[in-house]
Amino acid sequence: MPQLDPNPWFLTLLMSWTTLSLIIQPKLLMFTSTNSPSPKPKTTPKITPWTWPWT
């Protein structure tokens, strides 16, 4: 079964993980967002009772 032969794909797997770990991941971790989150003031919702038309 050629699907189970790891020889052609193992090197590709190793190279892709190496590229991700050493090059792409540090660049992504250094990214800082321009809009930092700010806390919103808590507001309590106004609760109004539901008026049922048949009562």
Side-chain angles (χ1 to χ4, degrees), residues 5-18:
D5 182 22
N7 194 17
W9 298 109
F10 188 67
L11 183 63
T12 305
L13 175 75
L14 282 178
M15 293 301 291
S16 63
W17 271 106
T18 303

Side-chain angles (χ1 to χ4, degrees), residues 16-47:
S16 63
W17 271 106
T18 303
T19 303
L20 178 72
S21 298
L22 296 178
I23 298 173
I24 297 173
Q25 188 180 19
K27 288 186 178 190
L28 288 175
L29 289 176
M30 286 176 42
F31 176 74
T32 57
S33 64
T34 55
N35 297 326
S36 60
S38 61
K40 287 187 174 181
K42 288 191 172 186
T43 59
T44 58
K46 185 179 178 183
I47 300 173

